[in-house]
């Protein structure tokens, strides 16, 4: 690939104001080309771009196109910065009136140097807010797409779309569906602004000449007008990649604009290291319909504030994942101690979840065309969610980690919408770590609160996700939770039901439809606050589950908890995949006695505290 830096514009407005500056602050810059003006961090604007692209691993050659009026300035800059002087291209123009236009300048460099390779084009007079973005990631994304590439960023609130090229991007394919050069206010809702930063396939280069032959007016020979013609009229495949930073072309702006944006971006660079970011995700209980979330069913689940996972991210020179002293032990009191800890808690702590989430996050952003700045961090986690009792402890750690990464890299809800976020968390566990799981837990941990979920095949096939609806949490009844003090792996309860479902076994197919019907009935019961009906439906959910999984699969510990709950007239069901039970006991006195019975049986018992995200 070859890189071409464009700096041939005539900065007449800025130079006129520099000459007339009476503050004494900018007089020394009179006559200095715009690309050689001070940029962010004190270095010249062009110095930053030359440092960015000066890598033989990415570019075989770098060319710079300038005008005759400022050629000597750039020649002097080239010799001082080890830029090959022979790669300077002089377009011959000396004034704004005889300029060639950006497209003609680019075509001149390609034609005069006989270039027949893919080309990256960058405006060398462009201020960049973030000096740490990874240009190699841009090249990798470009090479993954069957077309050209346009870089864009999200406008800040103070920026107007009518002064920039605005793109509309398909969120699935990342193809640019429309390019609007400086659209009037209200023409588009998009706030995604293109900058002079592109990758062109060698097959695209002849189109530059074709565009010039059709465009006689010099003022229309801009890169924005070219893309408007190439994308909207020619309907050629061009893709978009988002950089998490702002850009400002010095171009024809005045002194006040240049000074404003330089100060704004410089202030961002001087900001202290990012404060520690701490995010929390809560355990969840399935109230109805589980485990049909993995079988195109429907469920209702609720976040509970009794248990949570918390992840903290701190900016750092290197990327460090800190093991948890309890969940990722590396030191033991004795061989016997190691034996007991391994027997009870297994070999897999939370560190693998942090690592898998980071790996998947980078992979997602690369695939989605979101360039991440080169900035490292330390991640650590804590959790009080009981292990192996089916309360979504693993996904809570993944969810909290993802929240931290999104905040650190300024990834918005538009970049990673909530339904896609739930899929992401599931994929971390199933694709990377081979954990048996369904979408329910990840959805409720993303949306939080009390959530109704429809995973019908029609929705999943059409949208890639289900329908997720938050429910009112006012005046919920007193749910309780009990779990085994010495649980086994909760994943074992899934047994061979999935294979039977895939085989089309009538009993399993019918059961999953029944789970969905129970969920719809439970939704109505919750909305009408008919708690007696809800309790009956919870019991039906359990019996339906027992009918297809069998008691042998459920195991003696789970069956014992069911027996205790029913002994005291409480409804009961599994909140997850096993190891814990949830119930609804409407008799306070019986609740007290039931709690004692669970504790005497070696179980942990607690009253559920629902987590309502709408309340502080």
């Amino acid at each position: 690939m070859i890189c071409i830096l464009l700096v041939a514009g005539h900065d007449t407005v800025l130079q006129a104001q520099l000459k007339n500056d009476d503050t004494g602050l900018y007089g020394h810059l009179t006559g200095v080309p715009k690309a050689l003006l001070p940029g962010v961090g004190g270095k010249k604007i062009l110095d930053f771009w030359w440092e960015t692209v000066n890598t033989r691993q990415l570019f075989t050659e770098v060319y710079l196109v300038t005008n005759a009026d400022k050629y000597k300035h750039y020649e002097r800059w080239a010799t001082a910065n080890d830029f090959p002087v022979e790669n300077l291209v002089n377009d011959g123009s000396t004034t704004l009136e005889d300029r060639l236009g950006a497209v003609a300048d680019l075509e001149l460099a390609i034609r005069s140097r006989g270039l027949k390779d893919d080309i990256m084009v960058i405006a060398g007079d462009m201020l960049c807010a973030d000096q740490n973005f990874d240009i190699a990631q841009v090249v990798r994304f470009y090479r993954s797409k069957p077309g050209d590439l346009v870089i864009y960023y999200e406008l800040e609130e103070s920026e107007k779309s009518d002064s920039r090229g605005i793109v509309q991007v398909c969120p699935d394919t990342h193809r640019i569906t429309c390019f609007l050069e400086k659209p009037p206010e209200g023409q588009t809702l998009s706030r995604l602004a293109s900058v002079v930063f592109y990758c062109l396939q060698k097959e695209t280069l002849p189109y530059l000449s074709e565009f010039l032959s059709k465009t006689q007016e010099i003022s229309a020979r801009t890169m924005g007008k070219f893309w408007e013609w190439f994308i909207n009229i020619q309907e050629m495949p061009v893709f978009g990649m988002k950089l998490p930073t702002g850009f400002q072309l010095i171009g024809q702006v005045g002194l006040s604009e240049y000074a404003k944006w330089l100060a704004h971006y410089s202030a961002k660079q001087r900001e202290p290291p990012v404060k520690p970011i701490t995010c929390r995700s809560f355990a969840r209980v399935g109230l109805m319909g589980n485990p049909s979330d993995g079988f195109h069913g429907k469920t209702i689940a609720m976040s509970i504030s009794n248990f949570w996972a918390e992840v903290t991210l701190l900016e750092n020179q290197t990327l460090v994942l800190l093991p948890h002293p309890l969940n990722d032990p590396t030191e033991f009191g004795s061989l016997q101690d190691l034996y007991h800890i391994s027997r009870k808690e297994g070999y897999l702590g939370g560190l693998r979840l942090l690592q898998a989430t980071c790996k998947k996050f980078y992979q997602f952003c690369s695939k989605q065309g979101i360039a991440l700045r080169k900035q490292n961090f330390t991640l650590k986690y804590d959790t009080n969610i009981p292990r192996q009792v089916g309360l979504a402890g693993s996904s809570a750690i993944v969810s909290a980690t993802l929240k931290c990464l999104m905040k650190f890299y300024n990834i918005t809800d538009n970049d990673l919408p909530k339904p896609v976020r739930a899929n992401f968390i599931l994929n971390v566990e199933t694709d990377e770590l081979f954990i048996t799981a369904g979408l329910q837990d990840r959805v409720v941990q993303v949306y939080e609160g009390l959530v109704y979920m429809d995973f019908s095949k029609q929705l999943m096939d059409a949208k890639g996700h289900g329908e997720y609806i938050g429910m009112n949490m006012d005046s919920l009844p007193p749910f309780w939770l009990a779990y085994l003090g010495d649980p086994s792996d909760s994943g074992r309860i899934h047994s061979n039901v999935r294979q039977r479902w895939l085989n089309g076994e009538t009993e399993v197919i019918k059961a999953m439809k029944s789970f969905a019907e129970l969920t719809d009935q439970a939704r109505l019961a919750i909305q009408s606050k008919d708690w007696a009906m809800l309790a009956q439906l919870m019991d039906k959910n359990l019996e339906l589950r027992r009918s297809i999984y069998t008691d042998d699969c459920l195991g003696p510990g789970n069956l014992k908890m069911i027996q205790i709950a029913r002994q005291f007239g409480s409804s009961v069901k599994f909140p997850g995949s096993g190891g814990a039970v949830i119930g609804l006991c409407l008799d306070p006195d019986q609740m007290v006695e039931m709690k004692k019975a669970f504790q005497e049986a070696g179980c942990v018992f607690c009253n559920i505290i629902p987590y309502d995200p709408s309340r502080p």
Side-chain angles (χ1 to χ4, degrees), residues 245-288:
T245 187
F247 296 89
Q248 290 297 324
L249 273 171
I250 300 305
Q252 292 298 306
V253 303
L255 178 58
S256 62
E257 282 289 293
Y258 161 68
K260 180 186 80 171
W261 286 108
L262 177 59
H264 179 58
Y265 288 166
S266 296
K268 285 188 173 185
Q269 288 296 111
R270 290 194 299 270
E271 288 177 356
V274 177
K275 293 181 180 178
I277 298 169
T278 298
C279 296
R280 180 175 283 193
S281 286
F282 295 93
R284 68 87 194 93
V285 290
L287 293 183
M288 193 62 58

Side-chain angles (χ1 to χ4, degrees), residues 403-518:
K403 289 178 184 178
C404 286
L405 292 172
M406 290 181 67
K407 285 188 177 182
F408 184 68
Y409 286 107
N410 194 30
I411 303 300
T412 67
D413 286 346
N414 289 331
D415 299 323
L416 188 48
K418 285 185 175 181
V420 178
R421 212 177 305 167
N423 290 347
F424 174 98
I425 296 168
L426 178 64
N427 290 337
V428 169
E429 298 180 85
T430 57
D431 295 353
E432 299 296 321
L433 303 171
F434 307 105
I435 296 173
T436 301
L439 264 173
Q440 171 189 255
D441 303 359
R442 292 84 204 156
V443 171
V444 74
Q445 284 169 338
V446 167
Y447 284 80
E448 298 184 326
L450 182 64
V451 186
Y452 167 88
M453 293 161 265
D454 182 350
F455 303 100
S456 73
K457 189 175 189 305
Q458 292 81 1
L459 284 171
M460 298 297 292
D461 288 347
K463 298 182 178 181
H465 58 80
E467 182 179 21
Y468 313 133
I469 302 172
M471 298 180 66
N472 190 300
M473 299 184 71
D474 291 342
S475 306
L476 288 175
F479 295 106
W480 57 265
L481 176 73
Y483 56 91
L484 298 172
D486 187 15
S488 61
D489 184 359
S490 64
R492 293 175 191 161
I493 200 172
H494 288 291
S495 185
N496 65 345
V497 169
R498 170 159 293 279
Q499 190 57 52
R500 293 163 60 194
W501 180 74
L502 291 172
N503 292 341
E505 188 175 313
T506 303
E507 181 185 6
V508 178
I509 299 293
K510 184 178 178 181
M512 295 307 164
K513 290 181 180 179
S514 296
F515 279 124
E517 293 167 359
L518 289 175

Side-chain angles (χ1 to χ4, degrees), residues 147-158:
D148 303 307
L149 181 68
V150 167
I151 299 299
Y152 65 88
Y153 76 100
E154 195 157 357
L155 290 171
E156 296 189 22
E157 288 186 12
S158 62

